[in-house]
Amino acid sequence: QVQLVESGGGLVQAGGSLRLSCVASGSTFSINRMGWFRQAPGKQRELVAAITRDGRTNYQDSVKGRFTISMDNAKTTVYLQMDSLNPEDTAVYYCNADVYYISSARYNTHWGQGTQVTVSS
């Protein structure tokens, strides 16, 4: 079973930057896609950015030009560089991964525990 562990959240002033990391661990797996979602109080969870193992990316319109998603060469860690943060970016950020289990030839989707990002005005 793959586990996702996020880090890098915190409190930052408007205009500042944060970098989130998410590491996938387990055995005999291959990641097809990783992404970051966020959920603000009273709102639904929404996609922020995603990246496939061949490097294709997509972003929510509100973060285009400010956030950058990337993946390491081992395809087990995903990063989200967040610049020019504003208070509307305040939310719990969740890592998400679509995983292929080599031993069972099955796919599954996994979530991290979430990391809080708070942007003060």
Side-chain angles (χ1 to χ4, degrees):
Q1 188 80 343
V2 168
Q3 290 188 330
L4 304 177
V5 178
E6 301 125 330
S7 61
L11 173 64
V12 65
Q13 288 188 332
S17 298
L18 284 174
R19 190 189 195 211
L20 305 183
S21 300
C22 173
V23 181
S25 63
S27 60
T28 62
F29 68 93
S30 174
I31 290 182
N32 292 338
R33 183 199 63 86
M34 295 187 82
W36 289 95
F37 287 70
R38 68 186 179 187
Q39 188 166 19
K43 295 187 176 182
Q44 289 188 329
R45 191 173 296 189
E46 60 181 9
L47 175 68
V48 177
I51 184 168
T52 63
R53 65 180 295 108
D54 59 358
R56 289 173 292 156
T57 60
N58 67 288
Y59 295 90
Q60 180 189 113
D61 285 346
S62 69
V63 307
K64 286 180 180 178
R66 300 188 298 121
F67 291 9
T68 304
I69 191 169
S70 60
M71 186 182 285
D72 71 334
N73 290 335
K75 312 300 183 187
T76 59
T77 303
V78 66
Y79 306 97
L80 185 67
Q81 177 66 41
M82 304 185 293
D83 299 318
S84 301
L85 285 160
N86 59 61
E88 290 70 38
D89 296 315
T90 295
V92 177
Y93 283 69
Y94 296 91
C95 178
N96 166 275
D98 292 335
V99 176
Y100 176 71
Y101 287 93
I102 297 170
S103 59
S104 62
R106 290 186 175 183
Y107 293 89
N108 204 352
T109 297
H110 296 277
W111 293 89
Q113 80 285 358
T115 184
Q116 177 70 46
V117 171
T118 303
V119 184
S120 63
S121 57

